[in-house]
Amino acid sequence: TAASQCSSAMSSEVEETLRRIQSHKGVKGVLIVSAAGVPIRSDLDPEETNTYAALLSQLAMKARSVVRTMDETDDLTFFRLRSKKHEIMVAPDAEYLLIVIQRPTD
Amino acid sequence: MSEVEETLERVKVQPGVEGYVICDKKGQVLRRLPSMSQQQAEVYAQRMTSLSKKARGVVRDLNPKNELRFLRIRAKKHEVLVAYDQEFLVIVIQRWTPAPQV
């Protein structure tokens, strides 16, 4: 069907993107999570996946709400948490969150 | 104090910088870019103090030995950078442009 053709074309694009990100030096983990916080893809173990998915999707919602409170026409496009041990990047979308964990850059 | 001044001067002249606020952990504004209004500075201070505390909580939930250093919130045209320290937050508001394609 058109829908399954479309979704298999999309999913190979997704695979490509994930492979590209995963092959970057320093990348420790990549997750795709639904807007509701349900993990869809991950290269972390199941427990870590659930923890990262839950915590970061909640934080993404809060960050988005801060952006929109300050300007209701604005929206969150990206956020980045840098800590001593790693850097977590979150790219939110209408339906998904892409989460990448990498070694700190400095 | 002059080290703070020097750093602020360097931040001020970065292209795209539209504001900065230094506040304490309670969200009290200590310094702001002079062209920002006190009210604007207070709004940023309150919102970023609250959000960065939550971000810090996430970092520590993931690993209790870890510490948040820096937070970057990007919206459509602006981004807010927050340097998170023991006692202070340094908040910078700047316009952003996409990185050049390689």
Side-chain angles (χ1 to χ4, degrees):
Chain A
T1 66
S4 66
Q5 276 180 345
C6 180
S7 83
S8 78
M10 263 177 60
S11 80
S12 71
E13 205 186 309
V14 170
E15 292 305 323
E16 264 269 355
T17 305
L18 289 181
R19 254 199 298 271
R20 235 185 340 114
I21 297 172
Q22 281 163 338
S23 67
H24 270 266
K25 239 175 39 172
V27 169
K28 289 158 75 163
V30 182
L31 292 89
I32 299 181
V33 170
S34 76
V38 178
I40 295 172
R41 285 290 301 270
S42 169
D43 55 9
L44 300 177
D45 70 47
E47 199 186 309
E48 278 201 300
T49 296
N50 288 326
T51 308
Y52 273 88
L55 289 172
L56 291 165
S57 57
Q58 270 179 18
L59 189 62
M61 271 189 347
K62 291 178 176 136
R64 174 176 270 141
S65 131
V66 167
V67 167
R68 300 185 60 153
T69 308
M70 305 203 50
D71 177 351
E72 62 198 17
T73 66
D74 208 353
D75 204 358
L76 181 69
T77 61
F78 191 73
F79 74 94
R80 199 167 203 159
L81 299 178
R82 188 185 300 172
S83 61
K84 265 193 323 199
K85 297 180 192 293
H86 52 226
E87 184 161 25
I88 303 173
M89 293 171 287
V90 182
D93 169 78
E95 295 164 49
Y96 305 104
L97 280 159
L98 174 64
I99 300 167
V100 178
I101 304 138
Q102 68 181 10
R103 271 186 260 291
T105 46
D106 52 278
Chain B
M1 202 48 193
S2 72
E3 203 186 307
V4 175
E5 296 303 331
E6 271 177 42
T7 306
L8 291 178
E9 284 307 307
R10 269 191 300 127
V11 167
K12 253 196 245 186
V13 302
Q14 294 299 321
V17 169
E18 299 192 345
Y20 66 75
V21 180
I22 301 183
C23 65
D24 66 18
K25 286 302 171 64
K26 297 191 189 133
Q28 286 278 75
V29 173
L30 301 166
R31 294 289 298 271
R32 60 176 159 87
L33 181 70
S35 55
M36 280 179 95
S37 74
Q38 180 64 12
Q39 191 192 35
Q40 236 194 338
E42 283 172 3
V43 167
Y44 273 101
Q46 290 295 338
R47 300 251 154 82
M48 291 304 142
T49 303
S50 159
L51 187 62
S52 50
K53 284 187 177 153
K54 293 177 178 129
R56 179 181 186 256
V58 166
V59 166
R60 290 172 61 110
D61 284 347
L62 290 168
N63 181 343
K65 297 195 189 142
N66 202 1
E67 273 295 344
L68 179 70
R69 289 267 199 265
F70 195 80
L71 176 61
R72 185 182 273 227
I73 308 285
R74 184 176 284 187
K76 288 186 199 163
K77 297 214 172 70
H78 294 95
E79 59 181 347
V80 181
L81 296 85
V82 183
Y84 194 85
D85 173 78
Q86 298 282 35
E87 295 165 55
F88 304 108
L89 267 73
V90 180
I91 301 163
V92 176
I93 303 117
Q94 64 182 15
R95 289 192 83 90
W96 69 276
T97 51
Q101 294 290 345
V102 272

